[in-house]
């Protein structure tokens, strides 16, 4: 230990080291935050300040006045705070407002999974929804009623939005998902054709069961463009049928958009129109119709 102290003493005697130390000391003790801290604690003796100098320097390196310097952070997103503990200078780290907001945004984003849909749907909102006619006003009102019910913990029916191409069905589903995200309600918004393709790929792997379970259990499932997928008995009965049966039994709301009315979607699910397929299509449509409010969206094609 004595040898180490001697080495340190010799090092401090070197001119360039001594000048560097004095520069750091001057910059630290002249830092506005350090000055304010020391003025607020006149009980600190000179010895305590010397012992705690490294803490003061650590603080000064990361703060430009009262502004935190992200690039200098010891702990990313956390700014230093000086305090006195048992007569000694101490330092702790507190999360910055900006970091907390960014973390909160990431947490909310994880609540809204959007699969096989364009990225722009993440910006959809009720405020931007065009409610120029009565039908669209009804659709918006029912969407807002659904969100309000979910926020208050009520058991609410889903929605079945149908209408022609480009009238805003996908946008309204995405706006609902965004509102629920802010309320910490987990959702999955999925485009039906992409979902079916992914399910067929998963069936060839060991991950299909977990894939299926995620859609069965999510608090709110939104299926966009149902009826546009390539239909088959397996898709109808083993994919949609199993998911929707579970969700109906556990009163988990499912929302849909489609270019088809309910009757037209039933025809789609009946495949070849045989008696057996018609019966299975009716069974699936019953799971949809009894758990949703059907709303027709009208208007011009806004994608043109």
């Amino acid at each position: 230990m004595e040898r180490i102290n001697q080495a340190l003493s010799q090092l401090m005697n070197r001119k360039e080291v001594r000048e560097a130390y004095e520069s750091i000391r001057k910059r630290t003790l002249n830092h506005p935050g350090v000055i304010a801290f020391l003025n607020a604690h006149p009980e600190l003796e000179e010895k305590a300040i010397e012992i705690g100098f490294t803490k003061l320097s650590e603080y000064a390196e990361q703060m430009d006045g009262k502004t935190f310097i992200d690039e200098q952070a010891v702990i990313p997103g956390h700014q230093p705070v000086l305090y006195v503990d048992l007569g000694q200078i101490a330092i702790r780290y507190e999360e910055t407002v900006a970091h907390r907001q960014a973390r909160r945004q990431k947490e909310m984003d994880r609540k809204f999974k959007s699969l096989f849909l364009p990225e722009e749907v993440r910006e959809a909102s009720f405020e931007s929804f065009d409610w120029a006619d009565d039908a669209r006003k009804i659709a918006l009102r029912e969407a807002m009623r659904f969100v309000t019910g979910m926020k208050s913990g009520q058991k609410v029916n889903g929605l079945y939005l149908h209408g022609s191409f480009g009238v805003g069905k996908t946008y309204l589903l995405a706006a609902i998902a965004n509102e629920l995200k802010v309320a910490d309600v987990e959702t999955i918004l999925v485009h039906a054709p992409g979902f079916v393709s992914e399910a067929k790929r998963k069936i060839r792997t060991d991950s299909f069961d977990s894939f299926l379970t995620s859609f069965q259990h999510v608090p709110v499932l939104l299926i966009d463009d149902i009826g546009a997928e390539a239909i088959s008995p397996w898709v109808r009965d083993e994919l949609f049928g199993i998911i929707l049966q579970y969700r109906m039994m556990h009163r988990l709301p499912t929302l849909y958009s489609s270019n088809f009315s309910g009757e037209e979607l039933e025809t789609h699910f009946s495949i070849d129109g045989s008696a057996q397929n018609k019966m299975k299509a009716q069974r699936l449509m019953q799971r949809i119709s009894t758990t949703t409010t059907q709303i027709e969206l009208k208007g011009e094609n806004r994608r043109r």
Side-chain angles (χ1 to χ4, degrees), residues 39-152:
N39 286 339
H41 294 281
E43 76 278 8
L44 288 172
E45 299 178 354
E46 190 66 30
K47 185 177 181 181
I49 294 174
E50 288 299 322
I51 293 173
F53 179 75
T54 54
K55 300 290 192 303
L56 297 175
S57 177
E58 183 178 334
Y59 172 89
E61 284 293 321
Q62 300 174 77
M63 300 294 292
D64 180 9
K66 294 184 178 180
T67 304
F68 176 53
I69 308 171
D70 287 302
E71 297 79 10
Q72 298 290 102
V74 170
I75 304 175
H78 292 71
Q79 71 179 50
V81 177
L82 293 169
Y83 67 103
V84 176
D85 182 29
L86 300 176
Q88 300 296 319
I89 296 172
I91 193 169
R92 66 174 179 267
Y93 285 87
E94 296 180 352
E95 188 176 26
T96 65
V97 173
H99 188 267
R100 184 164 58 251
Q101 289 173 341
R103 178 173 55 80
R104 170 68 174 155
Q105 186 62 48
K106 287 181 180 178
E107 289 171 355
M108 289 195 298
D109 287 343
R110 283 196 290 270
K111 296 286 184 181
F112 176 12
K113 299 182 181 70
S114 173
L115 307 178
F116 321 113
L117 281 160
E119 193 64 26
E120 56 263 26
V121 300
R122 289 186 169 273
E123 305 301 320
S125 67
F126 288 159
E127 290 78 9
S128 300
F129 181 73
D130 178 8
W131 44 279
D133 56 52
D134 289 342
R136 300 177 72 78
K137 287 176 184 176
I138 291 171
L140 179 59
R141 184 186 66 207
E142 291 300 322
M144 295 174 73
R145 182 179 296 171
F146 173 81
V147 170
T148 299
M150 289 300 300
K151 286 180 177 179
S152 60

Side-chain angles (χ1 to χ4, degrees), residues 226-242:
I226 192 168
E229 71 287 336
I231 196 64
S232 69
W234 180 84
V235 170
R236 180 192 61 204
D237 304 331
E238 303 301 322
L239 188 59
F240 285 136
I242 288 176

Side-chain angles (χ1 to χ4, degrees), residues 86-273:
L86 300 176
Q88 300 296 319
I89 296 172
I91 193 169
R92 66 174 179 267
Y93 285 87
E94 296 180 352
E95 188 176 26
T96 65
V97 173
H99 188 267
R100 184 164 58 251
Q101 289 173 341
R103 178 173 55 80
R104 170 68 174 155
Q105 186 62 48
K106 287 181 180 178
E107 289 171 355
M108 289 195 298
D109 287 343
R110 283 196 290 270
K111 296 286 184 181
F112 176 12
K113 299 182 181 70
S114 173
L115 307 178
F116 321 113
L117 281 160
E119 193 64 26
E120 56 263 26
V121 300
R122 289 186 169 273
E123 305 301 320
S125 67
F126 288 159
E127 290 78 9
S128 300
F129 181 73
D130 178 8
W131 44 279
D133 56 52
D134 289 342
R136 300 177 72 78
K137 287 176 184 176
I138 291 171
L140 179 59
R141 184 186 66 207
E142 291 300 322
M144 295 174 73
R145 182 179 296 171
F146 173 81
V147 170
T148 299
M150 289 300 300
K151 286 180 177 179
S152 60
Q154 299 176 27
K155 293 294 182 183
V156 290
N157 269 357
L159 302 175
Y160 183 87
L161 307 174
H162 64 97
S164 57
F165 293 98
V167 294
K169 301 183 299 295
T170 301
Y171 189 93
L172 190 53
L173 285 187
I176 292 169
N178 278 322
E179 289 287 333
L180 294 175
K181 176 180 73 174
V182 175
D184 279 339
V185 178
E186 186 177 356
T187 68
I188 297 179
L189 171 58
V190 61
H191 188 235
F195 166 67
V196 168
S197 295
E198 183 68 5
K200 289 176 179 178
R201 189 180 70 82
K202 293 285 187 181
I203 198 68
R204 297 190 292 269
T205 71
D206 293 332
S207 59
F208 179 74
D209 287 346
S210 61
F211 175 82
L212 193 68
T213 298
S214 66
F215 291 94
Q216 288 177 309
H217 290 254
V218 68
V220 178
L221 176 62
L222 306 99
I223 304 177
D224 179 53
D225 214 7
I226 192 168
E229 71 287 336
I231 196 64
S232 69
W234 180 84
V235 170
R236 180 192 61 204
D237 304 331
E238 303 301 322
L239 188 59
F240 285 136
I242 288 176
I243 291 172
L244 299 186
Q245 176 67 17
Y246 181 93
R247 297 186 65 79
M248 182 180 70
M249 289 175 60
H250 292 83
R251 299 195 66 185
L252 295 171
T254 307
L255 294 82
Y256 310 83
S257 77
S258 181
N259 294 327
F260 293 150
S261 66
E263 294 79 8
E264 291 169 333
L265 187 62
E266 183 175 321
T267 301
H268 169 73
F269 284 144
S270 66
I271 306 175
D272 60 5

